[in-house]
Amino acid sequence: MKKVLAAVLAASLLILPAGATVTGAPEVSAGAAVLMEKETGEVLYQQNPHDKLEPASVTKVMTMLLVMEAMDAGLLSPDETVRVSARAASMGGSQVYLKEGETMTVRDLMKAVAVVSGNDAAVALAERVAGSESAFVERMNQRAAELGMEDTTFLNCTGLPAPGHLTSAYDIALMSRELILHHPSVREYTTIWMDSIRDGAFQLANTNKLIRFYDGATGLKTGFTASAGYCLSATAERDGMELIAVVMKSETRDIRNESAKSMLNFGFANYTVVEGKPAQALPPVDVLLGEQEQVQPVLAGTGRILIEKAQVNDVETNVTLCSDVEAPVEEGQKLGELTVTINGQTREVIPIVASQAVERLTVPGIFQSLLERFFMAK
């Protein structure tokens, strides 16, 4: 026997900045492109999103993801030193000229990967994490499958040309999102404009010029080979919203950068993120036959929703919540839902769940509860 309460509550909204304008579609000159919002994973713009193309050094987004996962899991320390193997030292292309037997900290190797796209540094990190580059590449492909990157096959951790080493703009956006969403401390490396390694003896300057010249830029990774063309996964954050702009197979560095900027400008001009939540605190729910008399309901997830800026004043929320629930109650058990509507159309339904578990009263517990109520009544 559950009684349902329904109440229409106002959503907490972000205010459109004075003088903001809405722009048309971005101008993109590339073989493929995707613009994605970080928190929701929604695609705001796409062009040939699933075409399988060479990613060049944008491959290193996955390399950095696996290294960050290892660090955040406590399996690797930024201050740990790594001894460079002959194979790592032999890598061509972009590099920081590591020597066989040289030691360098994980932190400096990550700088070398994120800032100047060091192939030698990438292999050194791969070998430290997985024992060998080939074992690391197996992990890269496994992680890609877990993320739903159906267009991707990695053959190395660097992005150096290899027949069959392919991915798509959409898949790059997926792995970029995973990196910046769950490992925000990667910004320690990806936002560096200029730095050095080897105690200042070797200077680093970021290959991603948007870091200096685009407001809010947070990363992420450039790439170029003659066959791949100019590639980029560019991330930027403004007003609490972070976007991922992926460009593949552009003709020049400037065209690549301008295409990424155009997509980011389009996203920031036209979209925003609102808090889909009640304006008032959710009331506790009574628990029948529970060791606790009530349980606090909470929203499942952040409740943040991506909308067009033109719709910001048209958002409403409706809460449906149980008045009581019978024990036992599991943590995360659904107690109701928050429906977010825009102009009367349902946009999102967010579950409302129990914040903690509540065990059911035992027979002695029920007897004790009755005694307590009896004496309290007196």
Side-chain angles (χ1 to χ4, degrees):
M1 132 180 166
K2 293 182 179 178
K3 183 180 177 185
V4 177
L5 303 172
V8 177
L9 302 174
S12 298
L13 303 175
L14 298 177
I15 305 301
L16 187 65
T21 59
V22 175
T23 63
E27 296 182 5
V28 177
S29 180
V34 161
L35 177 66
M36 179 180 286
E37 193 275 325
K38 177 188 72 175
E39 288 192 70
T40 63
E42 290 191 43
V43 173
L44 309 182
Y45 173 84
Q46 59 184 6
Q47 175 183 311
N48 303 324
H50 294 288
D51 281 8
K52 295 183 179 182
L53 300 169
E54 295 180 52
S57 282
V58 179
T59 296
K60 295 185 180 81
V61 171
M62 180 60 81
T63 302
M64 291 192 291
L65 173 61
L66 294 186
V67 173
M68 290 302 301
E69 287 179 341
M71 284 199 285
D72 289 349
L75 303 175
L76 192 63
S77 166
D79 296 319
E80 177 183 338
T81 56
V82 175
R83 184 170 295 278
V84 178
S85 70
R87 172 166 174 74
S90 72
M91 290 295 106
S94 301
Q95 57 184 298
V96 291
Y97 304 98
L98 296 175
K99 304 296 183 183
E100 181 182 358
E102 180 180 1
T103 60
M104 187 170 287
T105 64
V106 169
R107 177 179 288 105
D108 280 353
L109 289 170
M110 276 292 285
K111 286 182 187 179
V113 170
V115 179
V116 296
S117 199
N119 294 321
D120 45 3
V123 173
L125 285 168
E127 291 175 341
R128 168 59 186 86
V129 170
S132 68
E133 184 187 6
S134 59
F136 188 83
V137 171
E138 287 183 16
R139 294 193 189 182
M140 292 172 70
N141 285 311
Q142 179 182 356
R143 198 71 182 91
E146 292 169 355
L147 294 175
M149 296 169 59
E150 298 179 355
D151 309 319
T152 297
T153 301
F154 291 121
L155 297 178
N156 57 55
C157 68
T158 60
L160 286 168
H165 184 96
L166 302 169
T167 188
S168 66
Y170 180 75
D171 283 4
I172 289 173
L174 286 181
M175 65 178 178
S176 300
R177 176 177 182 252
E178 183 72 11
L179 177 58
I180 63 175
L181 179 63
H182 296 295
H183 307 280
S185 58
V186 75
R187 289 188 184 189
E188 176 185 339
Y189 310 103
T190 61
T191 58
I192 292 171
W193 172 238
M194 297 191 74
D195 206 330
S196 64
I197 55 176
R198 298 188 180 102
D199 296 323
F202 192 93
Q203 300 300 310
L204 306 174
N206 206 316
T207 58
N208 180 8
K209 304 310 176 188
L210 271 62
I211 291 299
R212 183 176 183 184
F213 298 108
Y214 189 81
D215 181 31
T218 57
L220 193 57
K221 192 69 198 73
T222 61
F224 168 77
T225 66
S227 54
Y230 289 88
C231 305
L232 173 64
S233 178
T235 57
E237 182 175 23
R238 293 180 186 174
D239 299 323
M241 180 175 71
E242 192 163 12
L243 300 178
I244 304 156
V246 178
V247 180
M248 300 187 75
K249 209 171 181 64
S250 277
E251 292 183 0
T252 70
R253 181 185 293 106
D254 288 344
I255 290 173
R256 174 191 69 186
N257 292 349
E258 289 304 314
S259 294
K261 287 166 58 177
S262 182
M263 283 195 288
L264 292 170
N265 288 340
F266 167 79
F268 287 127
N270 289 291
Y271 295 90
T272 190
V273 176
V274 299
E275 299 285 349
K277 66 179 182 181
Q280 303 173 9
L282 293 170
V285 172
D286 292 336
V287 180
L288 306 178
L289 300 176
E291 291 185 351
Q292 296 176 212
E293 294 184 353
Q294 294 182 320
V295 65
Q296 181 61 45
V298 295
L299 288 180
T302 64
R304 287 168 64 80
I305 300 165
L306 182 76
I307 66 168
E308 294 181 18
K309 282 186 173 180
Q311 299 173 326
V312 74
N313 294 317
D314 301 319
V315 179
E316 293 182 334
T317 63
N318 183 77
V319 171
T320 304
L321 187 64
C322 296
S323 60
D324 57 53
V325 61
E326 187 173 319
V329 178
E330 296 180 1
E331 182 179 354
Q333 180 176 325
K334 186 174 180 181
L335 302 176
E337 56 189 27
L338 176 80
T339 302
V340 182
T341 61
I342 298 178
N343 291 322
Q345 300 296 313
T346 298
R347 172 61 188 272
E348 193 95 12
V349 178
I350 304 169
I352 297 173
V353 300
S355 61
Q356 64 184 92
V358 179
E359 297 297 329
R360 189 178 180 87
L361 280 172
T362 61
V363 172
I366 294 173
F367 182 69
Q368 178 68 28
S369 178
L370 289 174
L371 284 177
E372 289 176 356
R373 291 184 182 184
F374 174 76
F375 285 112
M376 287 179 65
K378 295 180 70 175

